[in-house]
Amino acid sequence: TRCNRILRDMEGSLTARDRVGLQDFVLLEAYTSESAFLENLRKRFHENLIYTYIGTLLVSVNPYKELGIYTKKQMDIYMGVNLFELPPHIYALADNVYRTMLTESNNHFILISGESGAGKTEASKKILQFYAVSCPSTKLMDNVRDRLLLSNPVLEAFGNAKTLKNDNSSRFGKYMDIQFDHVGGAVGGHILSYLLEKSRVVHQNHGERNFHIFYQLVEGGEEDLLRWLGLQRNCQQYSYLVQGECAKVSSINDKTDWKTVRKALTVIEFSESNVESLFAIIASVLHLGNVKFIADSRGYATLNSSPEIHWLSKLLGIPTQVIQVGLTHRKIAARSEEVLSPFTIDHAVYARDALAKAIYGRTFTWLVNMLNESLANKDSSRKTVIGLLDIYGFEVFNVNSFEQFCINYCNEKLQQLFIQLTLKSEQEEYEMEGIEWEPVPYFNNKIICDLVEEKFKGIIAVLDEECLRPGEATDMTFLEKLEEKMAGHPHFITHKLADQKTRKTLERGDFRLLHYAGEVTYCVDHVLTIFHLQVMRQSKNAIVQLCFPTTEPDSKKRPETVATQFKSSLVGLTEILMSKEPWYVRCIKPNEGKQPGSFDDVLVRHQVKYLGLMEHLRVRRAGFAYRRRYQIFLQRYKPLCPDTWPNWKGTAAEGVQCLVKHLGFKPDEYKMGRTKIFIRHPRTLFATEDAFEVCKHELATRIQAKYKGYRVKGHYMRQREAATTIETCWRGLKARRERQKRAWAVKVIKKFIKGFMTRNQPVSVDNSEYLDYVRQNYLTRLKESLPKTVLDQNTWLTPPPIMKEVSRLRMYLNSGLQIKGLTSSLFKGRKENYPHSVSRPFVDTRIKINVQTKVISFHAFPQYSVPVVKYDRNGFRPRFRQLIYTGTAAYLVEEAKIKQRVQFNQLKGVSVSNLSDNFFILHIQSEDIKQKGDLVLQCDHIFEALTKLCLVANKENCINVVQGSIKFDIQPGREGFVDFKSGQETMIYRAKNGHLMVV
């Protein structure tokens, strides 16, 4: 019954497993089936689950879209977590490599492989970014971290290019060591590069580009830099950049990438002189590609003075004549001396391209060395290392170049190493755990590696022999030599051996290119050794001097071919890897069109085959599909057995034995090792895992119920305790407040009685508060019974003796309000700006005392004075004056000098407009023609001035408010006019009709 219930509850979990596939191929039931492998990969890919394990190997499928799984939050989730606790991720692999390195204090490497466009470079970046975030941080470590991260865009700019399969394809192999101290901080690094594709500098297939740095410099370089380098901002102008006919690529922003490279060079601390020399070399390669040869009368190549030669001379610091000779001649031995022999045009073009490749290749080597100097760890103490190997992908084309032959040879060597290390680790684990080792059938590719590299017999040995033999080596001689020596090899075949009818196809196919690349590489190195080397040593460019040192011997010995050099470097790489613990990332390209969501079965099946994933799976599934340490297995599954839940008292091995017995494991389904349990079939593990899922839900429900009860009870207890505390505090607070209130009341009453007893005495400490109370009480009563008007003398409440000032204030208010009342009766509703004057108090004078004193000394006592502007009767020019009233007359004064006096008995009246201006006109009665006429005045305090005039002159009815124009006498018998009108802007001017216009 219990099993049936578990099976019913398992249904939902199994459905999900069928939909999204298995996280680990080791748990695949049909692990020998390639179709089952692909089906599981396809399921996960369509669910955007691009990572899957084969044990500790990580399979990564390029999604060709952003998935949002590389955030800082994701990094935090995978830090310090067991490899199989969370869904597969490159962060999980990186973290486990890091923690294993710290725990065991040994060196590790991560091999990232796959074909071009599968995501190898991105995988390498993600691992570096993870270590940059997860490692301990100090100022020194942050500096190293920044340099490690920024070395990538520099290497990509100089070593990556757009190919038909990948817009950012690495055209060299890269191995990077990241060095860590004893606490796990990144303290240094070192980079090794392998087989840069130098031929790309001078030739690109259709749809491909040269290295990124050329386009970045031309498209993104600053105008001053381009001018200094003699470059134009147009890639079409340079022969080395247009052969692929795709200088512009929509997915690549060369201008932005240029800024990134410049920033990276600054952070890595390249000096300004080194940066200038570096870009001078890049520009010189472009100029070199534009050099054109012409034939002389004998058919030999010659060079005219051209801009390209000029710029080469300037940028490389080599005399123009030396460059011309170096590009058109070679040195040959004649008797006991060396003489210059001219090139034909074909040989000159070949030599030019050879020189361009050599310059770029050696500059790239210098760049890697500079990066290594920047990343070097200055501390000599022992460090642990994690290596990142981002190597070329194994690929098979219709026509395969020499470089591709080397790449595939490299992959075969790494596959051989991979199988050896995997088998070795598996066998060692079985022996360590005391489990009998079962031999695993697999294809050992040592025979393939021997076919390529075996001394005296391998393809590389035959290639070297053919290049070095006397006479002219051709494609056909090399092909015949291969067929002669390897005709009986089970893994070697040519079209001739397979079918004599198709021989011509082979002659123009793979081996022709293979031999051509080897021969060209040999010739290039030989030409440089004889003559070009001497030319380049004359350079004043600092980097060129380092790349072509004078200490380099001018050996006449034929140098090693590139194939032999690559073979030697691969042996060195293998030795490095054998000294470290391996981890693997296998990158897969799901389709050729870089389309998200598209899964090409044929293409993926091909990659699964040559990446050796099925062989690796068979090795991992040899005998037992699953193994875990006793502690981890017991910790996870102990809820399934009542005897082990919640706590097991004995050893972990005994607890696991008890657990598997309760679960009903059959004897042939598992083995107990020394520290681990080994489970043979995935179905056994799946049944255990599904039972755990059911048990987990039951436990979760019980734990939730218990926890909710605990929380509710705890919440109630806290509330009750809080209520008791609050009640206690509140009662204490109320008692203290009551006591304080009574003490205050006693003090106030005593002070009130004492103040009452001393109320008629001068103000003191004893009676000040009582007197304040009396004042407040009076004002409160006054508020409730205010008189109808302020001027009412009879209904005001009688103030107490201490408030005599109230009477004086009332008298002052009466007088001020009476004047304001007069102003209101004169102007309210008649002049526009009257409301603005209501809130402004009137004063007795608005002129300094010394001006009034002058008038007083000669005439009479001034009762009011105010500054005004007087407008001349003729021309209306403004004059600043002071207007002073006395008891009998008004005086117009200029700095204590009386300019005009107007007797009040001669004042006929005063005219003002109804608008918001400040003009008024004093009309003066006069019959003498020599006497001055009326006064036209402007005053900022017009309402105050006119009200005071009415009071002083006792002429309350003399004010006349006029609408429109005001007529006045310029002199007896001669009239003038002041016109008033409204407008947005205040203006005063003389109009064309002779009137004074006030707006």
Side-chain angles (χ1 to χ4, degrees):
T1 302
R2 178 175 174 274
C3 290
N4 289 334
R5 179 170 59 82
I6 290 176
L7 287 172
R8 286 195 304 272
D9 293 336
M10 281 168 51
E11 185 176 350
S13 177
L14 286 171
T15 302
R17 183 185 301 139
D18 291 339
R19 179 172 58 85
V20 302
L22 297 169
Q23 295 183 357
D24 193 340
F25 282 110
V26 171
L27 301 179
L28 201 64
E29 190 68 34
Y31 68 92
T32 59
S33 169
E34 201 172 74
S35 298
F37 189 99
L38 288 173
E39 179 63 24
N40 191 68
L41 205 60
R42 185 190 304 108
K43 284 181 182 179
R44 296 184 62 76
F45 176 76
H46 288 311
E47 293 295 328
N48 290 327
L49 303 172
I50 64 171
Y51 294 118
T52 312
Y53 292 132
I54 306 178
T56 58
L57 179 146
L58 182 68
V59 179
S60 170
V61 184
N62 194 338
Y64 292 121
K65 62 181 179 181
E66 291 293 332
L67 296 179
I69 59 173
Y70 302 108
T71 61
K72 173 66 167 58
K73 182 179 180 181
Q74 287 286 321
M75 293 183 186
D76 294 337
I77 290 173
Y78 279 93
M79 285 183 196
V81 177
N82 186 274
L83 186 65
F84 302 101
E85 287 184 31
L86 292 174
H89 200 291
I90 198 163
Y91 290 161
L93 181 86
D95 182 71
N96 274 266
V97 175
Y98 178 71
R99 288 190 297 109
T100 306
M101 175 200 69
L102 290 180
T103 304
E104 300 178 1
S105 297
N106 57 357
N107 299 327
H108 295 253
F109 76 90
I110 303 173
L111 172 59
I112 306 171
S113 61
E115 76 170 52
S116 181
K120 301 186 298 298
T121 301
E122 285 301 312
S124 177
K125 287 182 185 177
K126 299 305 179 191
I127 293 172
L128 279 176
Q129 290 166 3
F130 179 80
Y131 289 148
V133 172
S134 62
C135 293
S137 178
T138 65
K139 186 175 180 180
L140 172 62
M141 293 176 183
D142 288 347
N143 188 22
V144 173
R145 176 200 64 194
D146 293 341
R147 295 184 182 190
L148 283 169
L149 290 176
L150 290 174
S151 65
N152 260 328
V154 174
L155 288 173
E156 286 183 12
F158 286 85
N160 288 25
K162 180 200 179 305
T163 65
L164 291 174
K165 294 189 175 185
N166 184 4
D167 289 348
N168 187 32
S169 176
S170 297
R171 307 318 297 163
F172 69 105
K174 180 181 71 174
Y175 176 76
M176 173 185 284
D177 268 339
I178 310 170
Q179 299 169 350
F180 299 88
D181 61 12
H182 66 285
V183 296
V187 293
H190 190 269
I191 300 168
L192 294 175
S193 64
Y194 298 95
L195 194 64
L196 177 70
E197 189 185 23
K198 294 183 291 185
S199 61
R200 182 168 294 271
V201 175
V202 300
H203 174 74
Q204 308 93 45
N205 294 324
H206 182 75
E208 298 191 350
R209 296 206 315 175
N210 209 322
F211 293 103
H212 292 323
I213 188 61
F214 293 109
Y215 304 92
Q216 293 171 5
L217 175 59
V218 173
E219 295 291 341
E222 299 77 9
E223 292 293 342
D224 291 343
L225 178 62
L226 293 183
R227 195 178 303 111
W228 179 72
L229 296 174
L231 298 178
Q232 302 178 41
R233 198 178 295 283
N234 183 0
C235 294
Q236 301 300 322
Q237 299 294 322
Y238 302 102
S239 173
Y240 283 167
L241 302 186
V242 296
Q243 297 176 29
E245 298 182 0
C246 62
K248 298 279 188 180
V249 182
S250 59
S251 63
I252 299 175
N253 190 327
D254 291 312
K255 292 182 179 180
T256 302
D257 293 342
W258 168 259
K259 293 177 182 176
T260 303
V261 170
R262 289 304 301 261
K263 178 186 175 183
L265 291 174
T266 302
V267 173
I268 299 172
E269 295 184 355
F270 274 53
S271 67
E272 191 62 32
S273 61
N274 274 343
V275 172
E276 289 180 358
S277 298
L278 180 61
F279 293 141
I281 292 174
I282 301 303
S284 69
V285 171
L286 294 179
H287 288 301
L288 191 59
N290 282 1
V291 170
K292 305 297 181 187
F293 300 96
I294 58 176
D296 63 10
S297 58
R298 295 179 298 168
Y300 292 126
T302 61
L303 276 175
N304 293 331
S305 180
S306 64
E308 285 76 16
I309 300 299
H310 163 75
W311 286 110
L312 283 171
S313 176
K314 175 184 175 182
L315 298 174
L316 295 178
I318 302 174
T320 301
Q321 186 177 2
V322 174
I323 292 177
Q324 290 176 326
V325 173
L327 291 175
T328 57
H329 292 75
R330 61 179 174 179
K331 280 187 177 180
I332 60 174
R335 298 178 183 176
S336 60
E337 60 181 8
E338 291 182 338
V339 296
L340 292 177
S341 173
F343 281 138
T344 64
I345 288 193
D346 289 342
H347 283 139
V349 170
Y350 167 73
R352 178 201 64 189
D353 292 346
L355 181 61
K357 291 189 291 184
I359 291 173
Y360 192 85
R362 295 194 180 202
T363 301
F364 184 81
T365 302
W366 172 87
L367 180 68
V368 172
N369 292 336
M370 287 296 292
L371 290 174
N372 286 333
E373 287 183 19
S374 174
L375 297 173
N377 174 31
K378 306 301 188 293
D379 187 358
S380 59
S381 59
R382 183 180 180 274
K383 301 293 182 294
T384 50
V385 166
I386 293 178
L388 289 179
L389 179 58
D390 176 2
I391 203 69
Y392 342 78
F394 185 106
E395 295 179 90
V396 178
F397 301 98
N398 290 330
V399 176
N400 298 282
S401 68
F402 169 71
E403 284 89 351
Q404 192 61 51
F405 169 77
C406 291
I407 288 170
N408 291 349
Y409 164 51
C410 174
N411 276 267
E412 289 291 349
K413 285 293 290 184
L414 292 176
Q415 178 68 10
Q416 182 185 25
L417 176 67
F418 167 62
I419 294 296
Q420 287 176 355
L421 292 176
T422 303
L423 280 173
K424 179 183 175 184
S425 63
E426 284 288 297
Q427 191 169 359
E428 285 177 351
E429 183 176 22
Y430 274 59
E431 291 173 356
M432 188 187 310
E433 294 294 328
I435 305 295
E436 183 180 354
W437 171 251
E438 301 175 6
V440 181
Y442 71 95
F443 173 71
N444 189 341
N445 68 338
K446 182 178 184 300
I447 190 173
I448 303 296
C449 296
D450 289 343
L451 173 64
V452 176
E453 67 184 9
E454 189 175 6
K455 286 185 177 182
F456 310 117
K457 297 180 181 180
I459 293 175
I460 292 177
V462 175
L463 173 62
D464 290 351
E465 180 183 341
E466 191 65 14
C467 288
L468 299 176
R469 75 175 179 82
E472 184 178 356
T474 66
D475 303 342
M476 289 302 301
T477 59
F478 175 54
L479 180 61
E480 290 169 358
K481 184 63 67 69
L482 283 175
E483 291 173 340
E484 176 188 337
K485 289 200 170 186
M486 303 180 184
H489 198 287
H491 296 284
F492 178 85
I493 192 170
T494 67
H495 289 286
K496 176 182 177 182
L497 297 175
D499 185 358
Q500 292 291 338
K501 296 180 181 180
T502 58
R503 177 176 176 178
K504 281 290 183 181
T505 305
L506 177 69
E507 291 172 359
R508 302 301 175 189
D510 300 1
F511 287 99
R512 179 183 182 279
L513 288 175
L514 169 65
H515 169 59
Y516 179 78
E519 183 181 32
V520 166
T521 304
Y522 154 69
C523 291
V524 168
D525 289 345
H526 188 56
V527 169
L528 288 176
T529 301
I530 294 176
F531 189 45
H532 286 166
L533 216 58
Q534 298 174 1
V535 172
M536 297 308 295
R537 285 173 184 167
Q538 299 184 42
S539 174
K540 298 298 188 294
N541 185 296
I543 297 177
V544 175
Q545 290 175 346
L546 293 173
C547 292
F548 297 88
T550 56
T551 55
E552 187 175 2
D554 293 334
S555 174
K556 296 182 177 58
K557 179 182 177 181
R558 293 184 182 233
E560 291 182 332
T561 61
V562 169
T564 301
Q565 294 173 12
F566 184 70
K567 172 185 171 183
S568 301
S569 63
L570 196 55
V571 170
L573 175 63
T574 304
E575 291 174 355
I576 292 174
L577 299 183
M578 288 292 288
S579 66
K580 296 178 173 62
E581 296 296 323
W583 302 75
Y584 305 97
V585 178
R586 297 296 203 225
C587 299
I588 292 178
K589 181 166 61 174
N591 61 79
E592 291 286 6
K594 307 172 189 175
Q595 298 297 319
S598 175
F599 191 91
D600 185 339
D601 280 21
V602 175
L603 178 65
V604 175
R605 186 186 298 271
H606 179 62
Q607 294 173 81
V608 167
K609 185 174 183 179
Y610 70 63
L611 284 173
L613 298 182
M614 296 303 297
E615 284 84 353
H616 184 73
L617 177 57
R618 282 194 288 272
V619 169
R620 288 305 304 251
R621 278 293 302 270
F624 298 91
Y626 176 88
R627 77 265 341 239
R628 283 293 182 274
R629 291 189 177 276
Y630 290 136
Q631 295 88 340
I632 296 175
F633 190 85
L634 181 62
Q635 181 66 29
R636 181 168 181 81
Y637 297 115
K638 65 181 180 180
L640 298 177
C641 176
D643 296 334
T644 56
W645 177 258
N647 294 306
W648 173 253
K649 304 298 183 182
T651 65
E654 292 170 347
V656 171
Q657 187 68 59
C658 178
L659 178 60
V660 297
K661 184 178 179 181
H662 177 78
L663 293 174
F665 282 17
K666 296 179 181 178
D668 62 339
E669 290 182 340
Y670 74 98
K671 290 287 184 182
M672 301 288 289
R674 293 189 178 92
T675 63
K676 296 179 182 179
I677 179 174
F678 288 73
I679 297 177
R680 186 177 297 278
H681 303 297
R683 61 176 178 269
T684 307
L685 177 65
F686 291 157
T688 306
E689 184 65 24
D690 291 332
F692 174 64
E693 285 295 319
V694 175
C695 180
K696 195 162 57 174
H697 288 299
E698 293 177 352
L699 285 174
T701 303
R702 289 164 57 190
I703 292 172
Q704 285 176 350
K706 290 286 186 183
Y707 181 66
K708 287 177 181 177
Y710 166 78
R711 282 191 62 186
V712 171
K713 182 178 179 181
H715 183 62
Y716 166 74
M717 296 298 292
R718 288 192 297 273
Q719 282 188 324
R720 189 174 72 173
E721 183 180 354
T724 303
T725 303
I726 292 171
E727 288 172 357
T728 303
C729 292
W730 177 246
R731 283 195 292 268
L733 178 63
K734 282 187 67 176
R736 287 191 295 274
R737 286 182 177 176
E738 184 66 25
R739 183 183 64 79
Q740 291 172 357
K741 187 185 293 186
R742 291 186 179 186
W744 174 83
V746 169
K747 184 178 178 182
V748 169
I749 292 171
K750 288 170 69 176
K751 193 173 269 192
F752 187 85
I753 294 173
K754 195 168 185 179
F756 176 77
M757 295 172 62
T758 58
R759 65 186 180 281
N760 295 323
Q761 297 177 9
V763 178
S764 64
V765 176
D766 294 331
N767 62 6
S768 60
E769 291 189 9
Y770 174 77
L771 297 179
D772 289 342
Y773 168 76
V774 171
R775 292 190 189 93
Q776 182 180 359
N777 181 263
Y778 170 75
L779 293 175
T780 302
R781 289 186 293 113
L782 181 62
K783 175 184 174 184
E784 296 172 353
S785 57
L786 283 171
K788 299 276 186 185
T789 66
V790 177
L791 301 178
D792 189 351
Q793 300 288 337
N794 301 319
T795 58
W796 283 86
L797 290 177
T798 303
I802 62 171
M803 298 188 69
K804 295 178 182 179
E805 63 272 14
V806 174
S807 300
R808 292 195 295 271
L809 175 61
R810 192 170 67 210
M811 291 174 61
Y812 170 75
L813 289 173
N814 285 343
S815 62
L817 290 174
Q818 285 176 354
I819 297 174
K820 283 285 187 177
L822 176 59
T823 307
S824 175
S825 65
L826 292 173
F827 297 105
K828 184 177 181 181
R830 302 176 68 193
K831 190 163 177 63
E832 286 183 0
N833 57 341
Y834 165 72
H836 299 295
S837 70
V838 174
S839 61
R840 298 175 182 172
F842 291 169
V843 299
D844 292 335
T845 181
R846 292 191 181 273
I847 299 180
K848 296 179 181 178
I849 300 300
N850 60 346
V851 177
Q852 297 184 21
T853 305
K854 182 75 175 178
V855 178
I856 291 171
S857 61
F858 291 99
H859 299 279
F861 182 77
Q863 295 189 19
Y864 177 74
S865 56
V866 65
V868 297
V869 178
K870 180 241 180 186
Y871 287 85
D872 290 350
R873 301 171 187 86
N874 295 314
F876 300 114
R877 286 191 297 274
R879 310 284 187 180
F880 292 98
R881 300 285 186 266
Q882 293 87 35
L883 181 62
I884 300 176
Y885 301 154
T886 65
T888 58
Y891 295 86
L892 201 62
V893 178
E894 180 186 8
E895 296 180 355
K897 179 181 178 181
I898 297 174
K899 304 297 289 186
Q900 187 174 348
R901 179 175 63 186
V902 179
Q903 296 290 340
F904 288 149
N905 57 8
Q906 294 179 345
L907 185 63
K908 292 191 298 182
V910 181
S911 296
V912 297
S913 77
N914 66 328
L915 302 179
S916 58
D917 60 275
N918 296 324
F919 277 77
F920 65 93
I921 301 169
L922 299 181
H923 299 283
I924 304 169
Q925 183 176 1
S926 175
E927 297 178 356
D928 187 355
I929 194 169
K930 295 182 179 181
Q931 197 168 3
K932 295 181 179 180
D934 297 342
L935 286 173
V936 180
L937 303 174
Q938 182 185 10
C939 180
D940 290 340
H941 306 281
I942 184 171
F943 297 103
E944 180 183 273
L946 294 181
T947 303
K948 294 285 188 178
L949 177 61
C950 292
L951 292 174
V952 173
N954 196 20
K955 290 188 176 185
E956 296 183 4
N957 297 322
C958 69
I959 306 298
N960 182 24
V961 181
V962 179
Q963 183 175 356
S965 300
I966 299 177
K967 182 174 67 176
F968 68 94
D969 292 336
I970 297 174
Q971 62 185 33
R974 184 181 172 194
E975 295 180 341
F977 292 88
V978 181
D979 296 335
F980 297 90
K981 71 174 182 179
S982 298
Q984 294 183 351
E985 186 177 354
T986 301
M987 292 185 292
I988 303 169
Y989 60 93
R990 183 178 182 181
K992 292 181 180 180
N993 57 7
H995 297 183
L996 179 63
M997 175 60 68
V998 179
V999 182

